[in-house]
Amino acid sequence: MIGDTPRNRFARPDAAAGVFLFVVYCLTLSRGVTYWDAGEFLAAVHSLGIPHPPGTPLFILLAHVWSMIASPVVGFTIAVNAFSALCTALAFGIVANLFWRATGDAIASFAAALTAGLMSTVWLNATETEVYACALLGAFVILWCAQRYALTLERRWVVVTLYTCGLAWSLHLTALLVVPAAFYVIGSARERPAVRDIATGLLLSVVGGSVILFMLVRAQHDPAINQGNPSTIGALVDVVFRRQYDVAPLWPRRAPLWLQFGNVFEYADWQFALGLGPEPGPTVARTTVTVLYALLGLYGSVRHRAVNRPSWRTWMILFVTTSVGVVLYLNLRAGASYGEGVLPAGARHEARDRDYFFTWAFVCWGAWAGFGVIQLARTLAIRSRATFDRSRDIVSAAVVVAVLPMVLNWAPVQSLRRDEQQRDAQASRAMLSALPPRAVFLANGDNDTYPLWYLQEVLGMRRDVTIVTVPLLTPQWNRAELLHRNQLLDSAFVRNWYGIPATLANVRRKAAEQGRPAVVSTFVQR
């Protein structure tokens, strides 16, 4: 059994944490499109399209339905951005509930959820259109359902847990990082589930996962965003398993293990006090705060173990899975900002920093830090033989420490969202507006292409312009799309791959035949 019935029934730390964080996220919410995938996701949600592999169909469907409800009030873009805020706030309401039911300590559970929810990576994901916010909610729904079985021994919760695992698979694979911890909860319950319940649950998990078939059906209609064009079973499998990308094997390592783990420590140093040093490398002030919260997390983990060992084991499994497990599985190169002065010149880096892959690990440590600071305050109050009022003051001060990352991260989160939104919107609008009529625009990649897709699909700007993303010329589905949508390639260039220079030359020639000017982005290598 993972926990007992909560003792502090006068409080609802789960609801309080969720509402508090939702307000914080909304106050710092992006009002427009941000960098990287947000523009593509907004365009895909608007058109019920298919974003880059693995396609995230459940996220697109949920966000689209949400946009139908909220867009009349705040507009489409803010509504979909706010969907991330809502999902993240609900996820940390569940985190508070999990701790509350395991420990019976409402205040410490509230603090655990707040500290975890105010990690900079979590916070940034909550303020833009990104799948990771929804995936975080999906993950903690799985864990909550597993806990319900451990608490009630009602076999239906085993079935529901497995069904939500199937749904999570159609949402985003990162949501399944919680599965080992959830299975531990079920397996360590007072009674093991029956084989029949497991079989029923596995069948329903297939039903939940069948949401991916939406992509197969939708691709038949060739929506505006149709990455991978999963209009056949084979193409659908390619999209789901991300075969378009260079998926790293477990071995050989793309970077030394010490570097890959060091990269995680760099990302961890960004979580608690980004305002004390927004640059990537460590700073005295920011890293000092990181170390202090790391120690609080260690203390909180020890106290969690003392209060409820099965619950602690669950969170430890989640932490190890989402830190060590993710490092070993993903086999990433050095992050975009990592290794300066250490790595040799010319060493290959990831296109961007991948801190979001370790969100779950930061959540675990943040939750332990918040839980730990309240437990430490209570211990100090007892040892100092403080009066009731004095003890209450000490615990109140500890809550402030738990929420301190809000103050230390507020300015960089707000400024990043504001500056990113303004730069992206201004640059993309200017770029699109300056193009001649019916132009064929040769774009470099995500930050060239995705904001333009957003402007065209969501805002209806310059739909006379055809955007050709140069790196996407490699997969055959995109070349086929250029042929049947725009007649911008010869069929021989669809069937065969002749390389980027020859393919671009063919695009230019076909554009010239149609009397369309071809304009090259300044970011495209010539």
Side-chain angles (χ1 to χ4, degrees), residues 146-206:
Q147 188 211 46
R148 293 305 301 165
Y149 173 72
L151 286 170
T152 66
L153 297 180
E154 295 176 4
R155 293 181 297 176
R156 59 177 177 165
W157 287 110
V158 175
V159 176
V160 174
T161 300
L162 291 171
Y163 173 65
T164 54
C165 287
L167 287 175
W169 182 65
S170 64
L171 174 60
H172 195 271
L173 294 178
T174 54
L176 295 179
L177 290 170
V178 77
V179 166
F183 284 6
Y184 166 76
V185 172
I186 292 174
S188 62
R190 292 195 311 271
E191 293 180 11
R192 299 290 176 86
V195 174
R196 179 179 178 182
D197 301 323
I198 295 174
T200 303
L202 289 174
L203 178 62
L204 285 179
S205 73
V206 174

Side-chain angles (χ1 to χ4, degrees), residues 16 71 218 297 377 506:
S71 292
R218 185 62 179 137
N506 189 249

Side-chain angles (χ1 to χ4, degrees), residues 274-292:
L274 200 57
L276 298 181
E279 59 273 12
T283 67
V284 173
R286 189 189 72 208
T287 306
T288 299
V289 173
T290 299
V291 171
L292 289 174

